[in-house]
Amino acid sequence: MNRHLIPLLPLIAMLTACASPGSLAPQGKAIDPASLAATQSLSAPSGAWPTDTWWSRYGDPQLDRLVSAALHDSPTLALARARLDRAKAQAGMIAANNGLQVSANAEGTQQRLSENYIYPPGVAGSYTSLNRVALDFSLELDFWGRNRAALDAAVGQARAAEAEAAGTRLLLASAVTRAYLQFDRLHQLHAVADATLVQREKLQELVRLRQKAGLETKAEVQQAIGSIAAARAERSALDAQLALARNQLAALTGQGPDATLTLTPPALRDLATTLPGTLPADLLGRRPDVIAQRWRVEASGRDSDAARAEFYPNVNLNAFVGLQSLGLGNLLESSSRMLGVGPAIHLPVFDSGRLRANLASRHADQDAAVAQYNATLVDALRDVADQLASWRGADAEGRDQQAALARYEDAWRLTEVRYKAGLTNYTAVLAAETPLLAQRRLTAELRTRRLDASAGLARALGGGYTPNAPSN
């Protein structure tokens, strides 16, 4: 430290009392995830579920290709990456403030020199140029940690942006996966509609033969024709929904509608038996949105530290070396050289409360970040519990549904046999088929619900995201 600065330090310490932060302090307090009693229902030995490629558990290469395309080409993900790059660049700009600043300057001013100033007779009162060519050096001595706090805050914001980019990636992968599950659902329903149409066409032919034999009336024939038209209408509606599902998948993957025209019916693995009995509690802390909000809390705290440091002196060490002269003729002579070094001190003494208001504003931002973190954490816990309950509920309902479907299929087959044997009429066949078709549709819906809940749970648990999170 420059020896001329040392005697000034006691005076500086006394003067800083003129502008003081007083007792200002933030009020928010972040929730400890371990304090939420509901997490006990998720506690288990540590494990690695889900992974960062959780959608591959469905065993469908076509789905893997769609997710990969979305994560590579999506404009939404490109926007998230741009925001991350911007946050990193801002952190780099703030980091540069802690280093030595060097600038090259050249100045020339044509002017009349005062006769009542420092200039000697013969020069005073004349017109000449003042010229300066120099390297100027500046180094801020961060005694109070203001720059360090500002840098930590910028790094925290960059890490929050990184977590948000990972969250965008997770949401995009989840959206593609869940849209693909709905695409599978429509194919399952379409298969039921196809089978229904085939069955009704066969029954129509049987009704016509029985009518020719005098065993059926024209009314039964019209019923058979009407049931075929209804089955075709249902299939046409599903065709339209499949086209819309393809368009949705194309948009999610950042492609045109024609890109998904070649999609084949999905071949998804059923995950009914792979649901973990318990889940590691630390998985909740891997959600990108929770991590991002935690980093924002850390960053807002360091912003407050930087605002508090503004109450203390700002000390810069300045230096210069170069050439200076009156007139251009002797600018490059050795006698024109100049050299200087010394401190510059900025001390807040009275600012009408500006610094206190700024600190109070930073504290309010910190309280808001804490409140947002707490809300995100609680909502994350609810999301996990909801998805887990949905998966288990759909799984249990699906097992009961399989048993019900088997009974309805047996009843329909028996009715069809009785009809072919002439023991009942066609109306009884349709009456037995109606609940059977409803059960087949319900089976397809439940399978999709179970798979969708598994995708929702993977998303709710962070999709395998494992960042370097700030400590609680």
Side-chain angles (χ1 to χ4, degrees), residues 59-412:
D60 191 328
Q62 188 170 244
L63 171 60
D64 295 343
R65 289 193 296 271
L66 287 170
V67 175
S68 295
L71 297 182
H72 184 267
D73 299 326
S74 171
T76 302
L77 201 57
L79 178 59
R81 285 193 292 265
R83 289 172 176 169
L84 173 59
D85 292 341
R86 182 176 182 272
K88 289 182 176 179
Q90 288 178 331
M93 291 172 59
I94 295 177
N97 292 333
N98 291 326
L100 178 66
Q101 309 295 313
V102 182
S103 61
N105 298 287
E107 302 174 8
T109 304
Q110 186 73 24
Q111 68 178 71
R112 180 183 184 279
L113 302 180
S114 173
E115 298 180 38
N116 299 310
Y117 193 44
I118 62 174
Y119 305 109
V123 175
S126 66
Y127 287 87
T128 187
S129 60
L130 297 177
N131 304 286
R132 182 179 185 272
V133 178
L135 289 176
D136 293 303
F137 303 83
S138 177
L139 177 64
E140 184 173 349
L141 305 178
D142 193 22
F143 290 123
W144 324 111
R146 180 173 65 87
N147 289 344
R148 289 193 300 274
L151 176 58
D152 289 345
V155 170
Q157 293 291 353
R159 288 174 174 169
E162 182 178 5
E164 288 176 342
T168 301
R169 179 180 181 275
L170 173 59
L171 290 176
L172 185 57
S174 177
V176 172
T177 301
R178 299 178 92 165
Y180 191 77
L181 294 178
Q182 292 303 315
F183 185 62
D184 174 69
R185 165 184 164 272
L186 292 171
H187 273 288
Q188 296 290 328
L189 295 178
H190 200 281
V192 172
D194 285 340
T196 300
L197 182 58
V198 170
Q199 289 172 346
R200 291 185 179 179
E201 287 175 342
K202 289 180 179 179
L203 286 172
Q204 182 197 33
E205 183 62 25
L206 181 58
V207 170
R208 288 186 182 276
L209 293 175
R210 288 173 61 85
Q211 183 194 29
K212 289 180 180 179
L215 300 175
E216 296 286 1
T217 65
K218 188 176 180 179
E220 277 75 14
V221 174
Q222 293 301 317
Q223 277 187 324
I225 295 173
S227 67
I228 290 175
R232 286 175 176 167
E234 181 179 0
R235 192 172 64 172
S236 296
L238 289 169
D239 286 335
Q241 293 179 52
L242 281 168
L244 294 176
R246 288 191 182 92
N247 293 342
Q248 182 184 17
L249 286 168
L252 287 171
T253 55
Q255 303 176 84
D258 291 346
T260 53
L261 291 178
T262 58
L263 288 180
T264 58
L268 296 167
R269 180 188 304 152
D270 198 327
L271 302 180
T273 60
T274 62
L275 175 64
T278 54
L279 299 172
D282 66 336
L283 288 177
L284 186 63
R286 299 183 192 177
R287 281 178 57 120
D289 56 345
V290 173
I291 294 298
Q293 285 305 132
R294 187 59 189 170
W295 275 120
R296 296 208 182 282
V297 170
E298 294 290 321
S300 63
R302 295 301 281 156
D303 270 334
S304 294
D305 293 339
R308 183 175 293 273
E310 291 182 5
F311 285 87
Y312 303 107
N314 184 299
V315 182
N316 286 276
L317 188 62
N318 298 321
F320 60 88
V321 59
L323 300 170
Q324 187 175 41
S325 70
L326 290 174
L328 286 173
N330 55 359
L331 177 63
L332 300 180
E333 296 180 1
S334 61
S335 58
S336 297
R337 68 183 184 277
M338 62 175 181
L339 175 67
V341 62
I345 302 174
H346 169 74
L347 178 67
V349 176
F350 181 75
D351 63 355
S352 299
R354 181 184 63 82
L355 291 178
R356 285 179 61 85
N358 180 56
L359 180 58
S361 175
R362 300 293 178 86
H363 285 166
D365 290 341
Q366 186 176 352
D367 290 341
V370 170
Q372 185 61 50
Y373 168 77
N374 291 341
T376 301
L377 185 62
V378 171
D379 186 66
L381 184 62
R382 177 204 56 77
D383 190 15
V384 172
D386 285 352
Q387 298 299 333
L388 190 58
S390 296
W391 191 356
R392 287 174 174 164
D395 191 48
E397 190 176 349
R399 289 193 297 270
D400 293 336
Q401 175 58 31
Q402 287 295 332
L405 177 62
R407 296 295 181 89
Y408 279 102
E409 286 179 340
D410 289 342
W412 184 84

Side-chain angles (χ1 to χ4, degrees), residues 42-68:
L42 304 179
S43 61
S46 61
W49 191 93
T51 66
D52 58 355
T53 56
W54 53 270
W55 55 87
S56 64
R57 296 180 300 120
Y58 297 102
D60 191 328
Q62 188 170 244
L63 171 60
D64 295 343
R65 289 193 296 271
L66 287 170
V67 175
S68 295

